[in-house]
């Protein structure tokens, strides 16, 4: 895996299943650090248009290959407009999801060969992968409860086996690379989880 340190600005990603709380914690962490808060997909105007295609439940015929490439296009635009300029200015970047979501969802979940997803993402990112990945882990039963009260998008409508593979994929990546990943227990209170995230970032990155 390519992990690039580009300067004083650090690139941190929050990952996990839908409804795990990562968006809330991305906001809290970015506020704490005075970082640029962003997200994949949809972190740019063009990315938002791509995200609509990806999430639209009418687009059931979208092929797995097209999905990988649309997400890679979002990612390349995000690198050019948000990630690279922010890091170049010495700003920290906190992103709600990253290329690791593609490895989990399109690779482990959809079954697109991991190396294809990795190399496509790497090309889109020009080698700029997050330095620290915080995986917010919440048991499927709790996630199912949270999801039962919302309208599901195209990804969320995928069957339970898909979501199990995604979860296992995240766990596999985190276990294989403990230097860059940290699994955070997402079942605690919002304050507890935020404190764990904050102290991990301080410990790992010194910020
Ligand atoms: P979220 O931003 O609300 O979590 O939803 C984003 C959805 O997009 C989520 O279901 C995961 C999916 N996704 C992928 O499948 N691959 C990716 O690379 C990214 C960034 C997101």
């Amino acid at each position: 895996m390519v992990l690039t340190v580009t300067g004083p600005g650090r690139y941190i990603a929050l990952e996990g299943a839908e409804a795990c709380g990562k968006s809330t914690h991305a906001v809290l962490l970015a506020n704490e650090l005075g970082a640029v808060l962003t997200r994949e997909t949809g972190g740019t105007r063009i990315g938002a248009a791509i995200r609509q295609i990806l999430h639209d439940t009418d687009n059931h015929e979208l092929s797995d290959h097209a999905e990988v490439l649309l997400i890679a296009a979002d990612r390349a635009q995000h690198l050019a407009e948000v990630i690279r300029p922010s890091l170049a200015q010495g700003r920290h970047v906190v992103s709600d999801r990253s290329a690791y979501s593609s490895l989990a969802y399109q690779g482990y979940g959809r079954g697109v060969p991991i190396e294809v997803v990795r190399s496509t993402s790497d090309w889109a990112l020009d080698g700029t992968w997050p330095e620290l990945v915080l995986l917010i882990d919440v048991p499927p039963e709790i996630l199912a409860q949270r999801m039962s009260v919302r309208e599901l998008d195209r990804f969320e409508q995928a069957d339970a086996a898909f979501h199990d593979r995604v979860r296992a994929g995240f766990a596999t990546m985190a276990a294989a690379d403990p230097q860059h990943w940290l699994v955070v227990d997402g079942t605690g209170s919002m304050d507890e989880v935020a404190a764990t995230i904050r102290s991990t970032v301080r410990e790992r990155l010194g910020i």
Side-chain angles (χ1 to χ4, degrees):
M1 185 63 58
V2 184
L3 290 142
T4 312
V5 179
T6 49
R10 317 303 290 267
Y11 177 17
I12 303 163
L14 279 84
E15 295 283 2
E18 295 84 359
C20 72
K22 67 190 165 33
S23 304
T24 303
H25 288 291
V27 173
L28 295 173
L29 180 63
N31 284 344
E32 280 272 328
L33 296 175
V36 173
L37 172 66
T38 188
R39 72 174 185 180
E40 288 188 15
T41 55
T44 63
R45 186 181 65 83
I46 289 167
I50 295 171
R51 183 182 168 95
Q52 275 204 328
I53 297 172
L54 290 166
H55 283 234
D56 189 339
T57 51
D58 286 342
N59 291 340
H60 44 80
E61 76 274 36
L62 188 68
S63 79
D64 291 350
H65 289 205
E67 185 176 282
V68 168
L69 293 169
L70 282 169
I71 294 172
D74 166 89
R75 184 158 293 136
Q77 193 65 30
H78 190 228
L79 177 83
E81 272 191 58
V82 181
I83 306 275
R84 183 173 273 156
S86 303
L87 295 177
Q89 287 164 17
R91 301 282 310 276
H92 302 312
V93 175
V94 173
S95 187
D96 179 353
R97 295 197 185 278
S98 72
Y100 291 105
S101 277
S102 280
L103 295 173
Y105 284 80
Q106 282 64 53
Y108 289 95
R110 301 270 193 235
V112 178
I114 298 286
E115 276 319 310
V116 171
V117 180
R118 195 192 307 279
S119 60
T120 307
S121 299
D122 190 53
W123 187 72
L125 288 173
D126 210 4
T128 310
W129 290 73
E131 288 172 61
L132 178 64
V133 192
L134 300 158
L135 177 62
I136 315 288
D137 187 44
V138 175
E141 314 78 70
I142 298 181
L143 292 175
Q145 252 170 23
R146 292 183 189 169
M147 303 290 283
S148 66
V149 293
R150 61 193 231 191
E151 203 180 321
L152 303 183
D153 65 34
R154 200 178 57 84
F155 292 101
E156 291 163 345
Q157 284 183 352
D159 60 23
F162 170 81
H163 288 285
D164 287 347
R165 290 194 297 274
V166 169
R167 181 179 161 82
F170 274 130
T172 300
M173 288 189 279
D177 188 8
Q179 204 192 333
H180 296 108
W181 284 73
L182 188 94
V183 182
V184 178
D185 177 1
T187 58
S189 72
M190 196 176 77
D191 286 350
E192 282 164 355
V193 177
T196 306
I197 289 174
R198 183 68 194 94
S199 64
T200 300
V201 169
R202 194 176 296 117
E203 242 168 64
R204 297 285 180 102
L205 300 180
I207 55 172

